[in-house]
Amino acid sequence: MKIGNREFDTKHHTYIMGILNVTPDSFSDGGKWNDYDAAMRHTEEMLSSGCDILDIGGESTRPGHQQISEEEEIFRVTPLIEAVKKNFDVPVSIDTYKSRVAGAAIQAGADMVNDIWGFQYDKDMAPLVKQYDVSCCLMHNRNEAVYGNFIEDMYQDLKTCVETAKAAGIADDKIMLDPGVGFGKTYEMNLDVMKHLDRFNELGYPMLLGTSRKSMIGLTLDLPVTEREEGTLVTTVMAVQCGYGFVRVHDVEKNRRAIRMTEAILNRP
C-alpha cells in the first residue's frame, strides 16, 4: 500500500500509526498537545520511537463526544499538518469524517483520510479522496449496536464501505480497513471483534487495528485510561499474529517493541 511518498509492505510487517489529538476533550490525552510547541515535540518523540504514520485529529470521536464546527476543526488541524510536513518526513493521516475538513487537510499536506464512518456519513468524502488521489482508511461504525449476526453484519458493512470507495474510482492500493473497536459495539462485541480479527482479512485489504487505551481494555482490567498500556500491547500482538498491516497507538515505543518481538517469533522458519 502506498501512503504519501512511502510504500508499506503490509503482508510482511505491522506498521505503527501514532496518534496526535489536537482536541481539548480527547478521552485519552485531551488538551495535552493543543499547544503548538508541545505538539511538535510529541511528534518528534513519536517519530524517533518508530512511528510510521502520524494520525492528526481535531475532533474527539469518543462515545458521547461534542461535535464541533467544520471551521473549528479546520482551524485546529491545518496549521499542525503544514508544520509537520514542513519539518518531518512522515505520511500524515487526517482523522475526520467531514469532506470539507478532509479537503482543507489534504491541501495542507495530508496524505490519507481516516474516516470513522467509512465514507457512509458524508457522500462527498469518497469523490474527494479520488479527486486528490490520496489514501483512505475506512472504519466500521454504526449508530446503534444492533445486529442480526454480529461478525457477519460487520463484514458486510465493511464491504459496503469498500464498494462506496470503488464506485468513486479509488484504487485498491489506496484503501485500508479498520474493524472499529469501540464504535457502534457493546463491550462484549468488542471482545468478539478481537477474537475474530482474521475474518476481516478476507476482504482483501490491509487492516488497521485501533484499540489503544480504549474502554474495552479499561472494563476488562478495571483500569483508568492512564493504566491501559499492557492491555493495548496484548491487542497489538494479536494484530501482528493476524497479519494486520497497521496498529493505531498512543505509546509508539512500547508497541514497536511488542511488534518486533512478535515478528521475530513468527518469522522463525
Side-chain angles (χ1 to χ4, degrees):
M1 179 173 190
K2 191 169 186 192
I3 305 170
N5 60 5
R6 188 162 172 204
E7 292 279 352
F8 291 87
D9 180 10
T10 56
K11 286 195 178 355
H12 300 98
H13 180 56
T14 302
Y15 296 90
I16 292 178
M17 176 186 280
I19 301 167
L20 184 62
N21 289 317
V22 279
T23 57
D25 57 344
S26 166
F27 83 96
S28 174
D29 46 17
K32 218 171 169 184
W33 316 119
N34 284 2
D35 171 73
Y36 172 85
D37 291 334
M40 294 304 283
R41 276 197 307 276
H42 188 50
T43 298
E44 195 163 13
E45 282 166 18
M46 286 196 286
L47 292 177
S48 64
S49 297
C51 172
D52 299 294
I53 312 175
L54 196 65
D55 192 45
I56 296 177
E59 176 181 282
S60 172
T61 51
R62 75 191 197 289
H65 75 282
Q66 183 69 43
Q67 192 174 45
I68 61 170
S69 71
E70 293 174 340
E71 288 75 17
E72 173 67 19
E73 198 174 341
I74 289 167
F75 176 76
R76 288 179 185 179
V77 299
T78 50
L80 191 56
I81 293 169
E82 287 171 356
V84 167
K85 295 303 286 188
K86 182 181 173 185
N87 292 287
F88 305 101
D89 181 21
V90 62
V92 168
S93 164
I94 175 65
D95 181 0
T96 188
Y97 51 92
K98 303 166 192 166
S99 60
R100 209 171 136 234
V101 177
I106 293 165
Q107 287 173 3
D111 306 289
M112 183 168 89
V113 174
N114 183 12
D115 184 351
I116 64 161
W117 283 102
F119 290 166
Q120 304 308 299
Y121 176 88
D122 184 335
K123 64 178 174 48
D124 295 326
M125 189 68 103
L128 179 104
V129 167
K130 169 60 179 173
Q131 177 193 337
Y132 284 103
D133 195 31
V134 292
S135 302
C136 59
C137 180
L138 309 179
M139 195 190 85
H140 177 268
N141 207 341
R142 276 198 184 188
N143 283 314
E144 292 182 83
V146 179
Y147 302 85
N149 179 331
F150 173 54
I151 295 297
E152 188 54 33
D153 288 356
M154 262 192 74
Y155 184 91
Q156 293 302 326
D157 286 353
L158 278 170
K159 204 170 171 187
T160 299
C161 295
V162 170
E163 286 163 1
T164 304
K166 298 295 291 172
I170 297 168
D172 282 335
D173 66 353
K174 299 279 188 183
I175 300 169
M176 76 167 85
L177 304 176
D178 176 351
V181 168
F183 291 82
K185 300 165 188 69
T186 64
Y187 164 68
E188 292 79 10
M189 286 173 179
N190 287 318
L191 291 176
D192 287 342
V193 172
M194 289 304 307
K195 189 172 180 180
H196 296 282
L197 288 179
D198 264 351
R199 174 77 170 105
F200 308 107
N201 286 326
E202 294 171 28
L203 287 157
Y205 293 89
M207 296 297 304
L208 175 143
L209 184 68
T211 57
S212 188
R213 302 179 184 172
K214 284 187 175 174
S215 62
M216 174 188 72
I217 297 164
L219 290 167
T220 301
L221 303 177
D222 192 23
L223 289 172
V225 159
T226 52
E227 295 178 41
R228 297 177 187 172
E229 218 47 68
E230 298 94 337
T232 300
L233 293 171
V234 170
T235 63
T236 289
V237 169
M238 292 182 72
V240 178
Q241 288 178 313
C242 289
Y244 273 43
F246 301 88
V247 288
R248 181 180 181 273
V249 299
H250 296 88
D251 190 325
V252 171
E253 188 167 55
K254 286 176 186 170
N255 283 277
R256 182 182 59 78
R257 289 173 184 165
I259 290 169
R260 190 173 166 191
M261 190 71 223
T262 310
E263 288 182 343
I265 295 166
L266 293 178
N267 291 337
R268 292 292 297 154

